[in-house]
């Protein structure tokens, strides 16, 4: 699946045990929506090194849901990013 929007925020959520960044993009339309996308592990986190707030990005994603103790949790994980005229990852 693919999402395209303007980068609103890039958060570094890494700690001692895992490298993780979160990219928030705003998708235009009649009702604009902010979507948070996680990039996990060194290779995927590095895809965001040249990204900056305000750029237009096309992001390839996987959506995964799982059940835990009767509740459902959904993750959106990014695996490739195209920034305006700059191509990063395996699109």
């Amino acid at each position: 699946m693919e999402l395209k929007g303007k980068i609103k925020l890039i958060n570094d959520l890494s700690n001692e045990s895992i490298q993780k960044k979160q990219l928030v993009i705003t998708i235009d339309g009649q009702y604009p929506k902010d979507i948070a996308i996680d990039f996990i592990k060194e290779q995927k986190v590095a895809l965001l090194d040249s990204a900056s707030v305000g750029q237009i990005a096309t992001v390839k994603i996987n959506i995964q849901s799982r059940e835990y103790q009767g509740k459902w949790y959904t993750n959106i994980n990014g695996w490739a990013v195209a920034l305006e005229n700059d191509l990063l990852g395996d699109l």
Side-chain angles (χ1 to χ4, degrees), residues 3 6-7 17-18 33 47 62 65 67 70 73 79 87:
L3 297 174
K6 188 174 187 177
I7 297 175
S17 61
I18 191 166
K33 295 171 182 54
L47 295 174
N62 291 328
S65 294
E67 184 266 337
Y73 299 88
W79 54 271
L87 186 64

Side-chain angles (χ1 to χ4, degrees), residues 39-50:
F39 287 78
I40 301 172
K41 297 186 181 174
E42 185 176 351
Q43 182 181 7
K44 303 300 181 207
V45 167
L47 295 174
L48 300 178
D49 286 348
S50 63

Side-chain angles (χ1 to χ4, degrees), residues 5-6 9 11 16 19 27-28 30 32 34 39 44 52 54 62 67-68 74-75 77 85 87-88:
K6 188 174 187 177
L9 181 68
N11 278 332
E16 304 85 40
Q19 286 193 337
I27 298 174
D28 286 332
Q30 183 177 0
D34 292 338
F39 287 78
K44 303 300 181 207
S52 59
N62 291 328
E67 184 266 337
Y68 178 71
T74 301
N75 294 354
N77 295 314
N85 296 325
L87 186 64
L88 304 171

